[in-house]
Amino acid sequence: MSNRTDLSSWKSLEKLAEQMKQTHMNDLFAADPQRFNKFSLKLPDLLFDYSKNLIDDTVINTLLQLTDDVDLPAWRDKMFNAERINMTEDRAVLHTALRNRSKTPLYFNNENVTNEVESQLTKMQEFVEQVRQGKWLGYSGKRITDIVNIGVGGSNLGPQMVTEALKHYSDQSVNVHYVSNVDGAQITEVLAPLNPEKVLFIVSSKTFTTKETMTNANTATNWLLKSAPDKSAIAKHFVAVSANIKNATEFGIDPDNIFSMWDWVGGRFSLWSAIGLPIALDLGFDKFIELLEGAHAMDLHFQQAPSAENAPIIMALLSVWNCTFLGAKSQAILPYDQTLHMLSAYLQQAEMESNGKSVSWQGEQISYPTVPSIWGELGINGQHAFYQYLHQSNNVVPADFIGSVKSVTPVPGHHSTLMSNFFAQTQALMTGVNEQQVRADLKAKGRTQEVIDKLAPHKVHQGNRPTNTLLLKQISPKTLGMLIALYEHKIFVQGIILEICSFDQWGVELGKGLAESIQQELESDKVSASHDSSTRNLIEFYKAASQL
Ligand code: F6P
């Protein structure tokens, strides 16, 4: 049995949750004029308001006590100091070393990781400058105009999310495209308008075994070789990012064109490594470094700020409070900045692949609810789609609202319309409107008693729905780096509190293995009798239908 539930802070939180379920945030705000000051943090370029959560001083203090009871500071040191905290894979977890702009030496396996990182960054810089300045030439001597990144999961979502978020910082020296899906529709659409003489492919795969990526990379090679005179063109049009140098070389990529990754970087935490190459090619190397600097600033905050003023720790505690103790099952990510339109997709992998688990460090079944499912969409689009559910369904969905004080692309009249919605929604979700208010409003509008009686129950909003507000100064490489690192550390803290190994992903293996054998069945005459009848009949139907 996990000992988390035996901790006195845990037991107190269970009791506090029962009391808090009977409390309305409206009353908490009314009782404490200092509530916003108490429950918000001002970091450089970022305001984090968490006062619209079902918390009070006792709850926060008990949650903070929990961080001590689980030895969070010691675990944090273990991560930064290269201890093997990825226990099931026996690996260190060092994505923070990739952006250690203080450049302090850090030893792992007797190697100075900082030197290794710096040497890869130098290699990246030289390559990025050659390509962006038109010095890297394709097989026919033409400069590269288009980059196609082939990768999936962590080898796609981070770079693509950042490219989208920072596209207004790009000087468009090159155009960057992404191919992640093995559905041929995507690569066909991406390659259709491109000239093979001017395209550079980045095959991004930590393992260099991921079937979808390898299939897309083979298709890209064949596409190139249809127009190139011979295979020597591959060296001019393909680079790879991988921890598996052997496979990348066997694939045919020139060893000089392989950028290394290390075992100690998890795929979903890898955008800071050479996996971020498409970002650097798009924005220029200096801006890539600014992204790393933003993340490093958050790393220092996470390491140095006392727990009560530590944004990732507070965010993690609130998630644990809302889900494990108050029973929320999902969490919405609602950016009000168009540039962040891929953030929720990115955070789905970051949080759900990290902590979507139900076995503890000791290999025992966990008895308490762990992390929520993460979903979301641009807030404004969501308002006209699923916010009805957020306001009035009987499932409470805690939500992160993320906005910017300044737009990167200001258009007169737009930003205040956008931000008025941003502020209105968290207020409405918190305050709600009770039946008395609804009735008074309908009466003031001259509705008959019959109409009032009929409509009143439908118009009641219970409120009391928890939200965090993250208000950035403006989206920039630096603030985006901070924001991503904030969530990364939140995920780490959640894992420690819940006793989950956040850095493995065994749950993706079963389906992968089955797909391998089913593909053989799809491409041969046989269908295995070992499938359940549903799967077998589906496969047989598909095979028969595809021959019609
Ligand atoms: O299948 C899940 C996963 O292993 C992710 O963890 C990873 O980000 C993704 O696949 C891609 O893996 P790779 O970079 O090795 O191709």
Side-chain angles (χ1 to χ4, degrees):
M1 271 286 287
S2 157
N3 69 356
R4 293 299 191 242
T5 51
D6 296 334
L7 297 170
S8 64
S9 50
W10 190 282
K11 288 183 194 300
S12 304
L13 287 165
E14 284 174 330
K15 284 194 196 122
L16 288 167
E18 289 316 307
Q19 290 165 22
M20 276 305 202
K21 283 179 191 164
Q22 314 303 322
T23 309
H24 201 291
M25 273 185 256
N26 281 336
D27 299 325
L28 297 172
F29 270 92
D32 186 356
Q34 287 306 311
R35 189 170 170 85
F36 171 78
N37 290 335
K38 263 189 208 166
F39 299 136
S40 63
L41 294 173
K42 288 194 185 87
L43 274 57
D45 300 338
L46 171 67
L47 171 66
F48 169 36
D49 171 26
Y50 59 98
S51 60
K52 293 191 185 95
N53 277 278
L54 205 44
I55 52 170
D56 61 10
D57 293 338
T58 315
V59 171
I60 278 293
N61 290 336
T62 316
L63 286 166
L64 290 168
Q65 180 59 46
L66 180 61
T67 63
D68 286 339
D69 292 350
V70 302
D71 285 334
L72 177 67
W75 280 103
R76 179 179 53 195
D77 291 348
K78 285 183 195 186
M79 177 169 76
F80 280 93
N81 294 332
E83 290 196 35
R84 293 170 187 268
I85 62 165
N86 176 352
M87 35 285 262
T88 67
E89 295 178 338
D90 194 26
R91 291 176 183 165
V93 174
L94 282 178
H95 46 279
T96 52
L98 298 168
R99 59 220 190 191
N100 174 13
R101 304 312 297 155
S102 313
K103 300 189 188 172
T104 41
L106 175 68
Y107 287 89
F108 179 63
N109 279 346
N110 297 322
E111 300 283 350
N112 185 347
V113 168
T114 307
N115 286 348
E116 290 181 44
V117 169
E118 282 305 306
S119 99
Q120 278 307 302
L121 281 171
T122 305
K123 180 169 171 166
M124 275 175 80
Q125 180 171 16
E126 285 165 3
F127 172 71
V128 164
E129 283 168 4
Q130 269 190 303
V131 174
R132 284 172 54 80
Q133 291 165 12
K135 293 181 186 153
W136 181 290
L137 303 177
Y139 69 81
S140 61
K142 297 204 168 88
R143 72 177 284 167
I144 299 297
T145 55
D146 291 85
I147 309 292
V148 178
N149 189 80
I150 298 177
V152 71
S155 301
N156 161 259
L157 282 165
Q160 192 173 4
M161 183 272 285
V162 172
T163 302
E164 287 293 309
L166 299 178
K167 70 161 94 148
H168 301 288
Y169 290 86
S170 167
D171 61 3
Q172 286 162 1
S173 293
V174 289
N175 305 307
V176 175
H177 315 264
Y178 288 89
V179 173
S180 57
N181 198 336
V182 75
D183 184 335
Q186 192 184 23
I187 193 161
T188 303
E189 192 183 311
V190 168
L191 296 184
L194 304 185
N195 175 353
E197 294 166 78
K198 301 176 179 180
V199 174
L200 181 84
F201 291 97
I202 306 174
V203 185
S204 271
S205 177
K206 180 178 170 185
T207 56
F208 229 82
T209 57
T210 304
K211 187 74 188 244
E212 297 89 329
T213 298
M214 295 305 115
T215 305
N216 278 323
N218 278 318
T219 299
T221 313
N222 294 336
W223 179 80
L224 175 76
L225 293 179
K226 262 196 222 149
S227 63
D230 56 57
K231 283 189 167 181
S232 66
I234 293 177
K236 297 192 156 79
H237 291 269
F238 276 80
V239 300
V241 185
S242 187
N244 188 341
I245 309 296
K246 182 171 165 283
N247 275 23
T249 313
E250 278 171 14
F251 180 87
I253 296 190
D254 185 329
D256 286 345
N257 296 352
I258 301 174
F259 295 83
S260 333
M261 275 179 82
W262 304 268
D263 264 358
W264 41 258
V265 187
R268 53 193 173 273
F269 302 98
S270 64
L271 72 88
W272 323 101
S273 70
I275 292 286
L277 209 46
I279 305 171
L281 285 162
D282 190 26
L283 302 179
F285 193 74
D286 291 355
K287 295 208 175 64
F288 182 69
I289 292 293
E290 286 171 30
L291 182 79
L292 303 190
E293 280 167 356
H296 182 55
M298 184 55 72
D299 294 342
L300 294 177
H301 167 79
F302 178 48
Q303 284 181 287
Q304 294 166 2
S307 296
E309 294 160 28
N310 194 306
I313 294 181
I314 297 290
M315 269 181 97
L317 289 174
L318 291 167
S319 180
V320 171
W321 172 242
N322 284 326
C323 299
T324 306
F325 292 97
L326 295 178
K329 300 245 180 315
S330 79
Q331 148 116 45
I333 303 293
L334 305 171
Y336 275 69
D337 196 307
Q338 175 69 26
T339 64
L340 297 178
H341 72 94
M342 279 192 67
L343 185 67
S344 68
Y346 170 78
L347 291 177
Q348 275 177 338
Q349 188 198 14
E351 183 157 333
M352 293 165 81
E353 194 167 74
S354 298
N355 289 337
K357 296 160 191 172
S358 51
V359 166
S360 72
W361 297 333
Q362 294 79 17
E364 288 163 355
Q365 202 60 39
I366 290 175
S367 61
Y368 42 82
T370 55
V371 294
S373 51
I374 301 288
W375 59 284
E377 171 51 283
L378 288 172
I380 286 289
N381 294 347
Q383 280 177 214
H384 298 278
F386 55 78
Y387 273 36
Q388 163 64 41
Y389 185 98
L390 298 186
H391 284 284
Q392 285 191 314
S393 91
N394 50 14
N395 290 322
V396 171
V397 181
D400 285 358
F401 280 69
I402 304 155
S404 309
V405 174
K406 280 192 183 170
S407 167
V408 182
T409 43
V411 179
H414 282 241
H415 204 59
S416 56
T417 308
L418 175 74
M419 294 308 282
S420 61
N421 280 277
F422 179 77
F423 297 118
Q425 289 295 333
T426 61
Q427 180 176 330
L429 285 163
M430 194 274 282
T431 58
V433 51
N434 64 30
E435 187 164 344
Q436 209 184 351
Q437 293 165 308
V438 169
R439 284 179 177 277
D441 181 54
L442 288 169
K443 199 169 173 190
K445 287 182 176 137
R447 300 302 177 95
T448 64
Q449 192 56 42
E450 194 189 351
V451 170
I452 294 175
D453 288 343
K454 192 173 159 196
L455 282 186
H458 297 281
K459 291 183 68 106
V460 169
H461 293 55
Q462 294 149 340
N464 219 18
R465 316 256 156 164
T467 58
N468 291 323
T469 297
L470 294 162
L471 192 51
L472 294 160
K473 187 172 152 199
Q474 186 174 39
I475 289 294
S476 68
K478 184 158 180 237
T479 57
L480 185 64
M482 282 174 56
L483 183 70
I484 301 168
L486 167 64
Y487 276 100
E488 284 181 345
H489 293 318
K490 172 207 159 197
I491 289 163
F492 165 78
V493 175
Q494 280 173 295
I496 299 300
I497 293 175
L498 299 168
E499 282 204 315
I500 286 171
C501 181
S502 304
F503 300 103
D504 59 23
Q505 55 283 317
W506 299 108
V508 300
E509 297 302 330
L510 177 61
K512 270 190 200 172
L514 275 173
E516 282 283 339
S517 56
I518 290 177
Q519 182 166 3
Q520 286 168 19
E521 294 169 47
L522 296 183
E523 292 170 358
S524 71
D525 293 341
K526 290 190 202 123
V527 176
S528 166
S530 66
H531 296 296
D532 59 85
S533 68
S534 162
T535 309
R536 194 180 62 246
N537 277 290
L538 287 168
I539 294 171
E540 280 171 352
F541 177 89
Y542 167 87
K543 289 180 71 163
S546 59
Q547 276 158 17
L548 290 177

